[in-house]
Amino acid sequence: MLLVGISTAAFTLYDLNTQIRFGEELQSRAGFRWGIMHIIILIVVLLSTSLLCFGWKRLFPFNVPIAIIIAGLCYLLFFFTFTIGWVGIVGIFGFLIAFMVGVILIICYLVFKFLEVRKASQT
């Protein structure tokens, strides 16, 4: 998943920097921007990463899905920071995919733990 994220980010930035665009096509471009939304996302990423680091063993097996969701937030922050225009939607889609994968893994782990506890109580 990390490889897909890196390759899509690299391909998108390469595409934005090499194509010649005119008119409305210029709306999406590579560029740096920083605002209050970026600061909020950065604070959320830093807080959640630090909490995950301190509780890594305690959160097992939910630590990896949470890390995937945090990586999706980093992907979103990358696209919001280094792109301008509609191309930022790529970051939103990447975050949504990471969020969905994380939620599905958490649900699978919860079901597995429920079945394990139920099986242990029946014996």
Side-chain angles (χ1 to χ4, degrees):
M1 201 162 162
L2 183 63
L3 182 62
V4 171
I6 291 171
S7 62
T8 57
F11 178 73
T12 302
L13 287 177
Y14 175 77
D15 189 42
L16 287 175
N17 287 324
T18 57
Q19 288 187 357
I20 299 172
R21 299 180 180 198
F22 302 101
E24 289 184 15
E25 292 176 350
L26 265 177
Q27 185 178 8
S28 291
R29 62 189 182 279
F32 183 79
R33 62 182 176 161
W34 191 259
I36 189 71
M37 182 177 61
H38 300 89
I39 295 171
I40 292 170
I41 294 173
L42 181 63
I43 290 172
V44 168
V45 166
L46 291 176
L47 285 175
S48 57
T49 302
S50 62
L51 290 174
L52 181 63
C53 288
F54 289 127
W56 184 262
K57 288 186 180 182
R58 230 176 317 160
L59 288 172
F60 183 81
F62 304 105
N63 51 6
V64 173
I66 293 170
I68 290 172
I69 294 170
I70 293 171
L73 271 173
C74 291
Y75 188 78
L76 175 70
L77 181 62
F78 174 80
F79 268 92
F80 277 0
T81 303
F82 296 109
T83 61
I84 297 170
W86 288 101
V87 74
I89 292 178
V90 174
I92 295 171
F93 284 142
F95 170 69
L96 289 177
I97 290 170
F99 184 78
M100 292 303 295
V101 167
V103 168
I104 289 170
L105 283 173
I106 289 171
I107 290 170
C108 289
Y109 288 146
L110 285 173
V111 168
F112 180 72
K113 279 195 168 279
F114 173 75
L115 293 176
E116 192 175 85
V117 167
R118 188 172 175 194
K119 182 179 175 184
S121 67
Q122 289 180 352
T123 54

